[in-house]
Structure formats: C-alpha cells, structure tokens
Amino acid sequence: MADAKVDPKLLEILVCPLTRGPLTYDAAAQELISPQARLAYPIRDGIPIMLVEEARNLDDTGRKKD
C-alpha cells in the first residue's frame, strides 16, 4: 500500500536499531532511511519494520541495492 501514512509523532521517536541514529522518511518509497547505517527500513501497511535483517543496503549514491 504505497499511500499508507506514518504517524509523524512516531517518526520523531524512531531511531535506527543498529546505530541509534536519526532516520529520514522517504514517503515515495515507503521507507525509513538510516544514513549512518546505510540502510532503508521498509514500511508495510503504515507500520515501520525496524529489523536490520529486513532492511535494504544503500549504495554510495544513497540508492537501494538489489
């Protein structure tokens, strides 16, 4: 569901589980991005999946690696 909304208050308190660093919200991709860990955590049905094993690695340009 690409148009699911994430509660802004939830986004304020979430941090990367690996680095404990801040996350940015990519609404178009429905992901939370951890620049420090170079990971993108998926959001499914409006629920952030904050598991490192579920996250995608990001390459040097910040794009998702397949």
Side-chain angles (χ1 to χ4, degrees):
M1 179 182 299
D3 59 350
K5 303 286 184 198
V6 177
D7 185 341
K9 293 200 184 275
L10 179 61
L11 293 176
E12 288 177 17
I13 61 170
L14 285 176
V15 295
C16 175
L18 186 64
T19 67
R20 302 285 184 224
L23 299 166
T24 58
Y25 177 46
D26 182 342
Q30 286 295 290
E31 293 178 325
L32 292 174
I33 308 298
S34 172
Q36 290 176 323
R38 307 192 64 67
L39 294 172
Y41 296 94
I43 299 171
R44 297 186 188 128
D45 298 323
I47 301 169
I49 310 300
M50 303 305 297
L51 300 170
V52 173
E53 53 274 0
E54 291 287 322
R56 294 189 199 195
N57 288 316
L58 300 174
D59 68 16
D60 290 337
T61 63
R63 295 180 188 218
K64 291 172 256 177
K65 286 185 179 178
D66 291 329

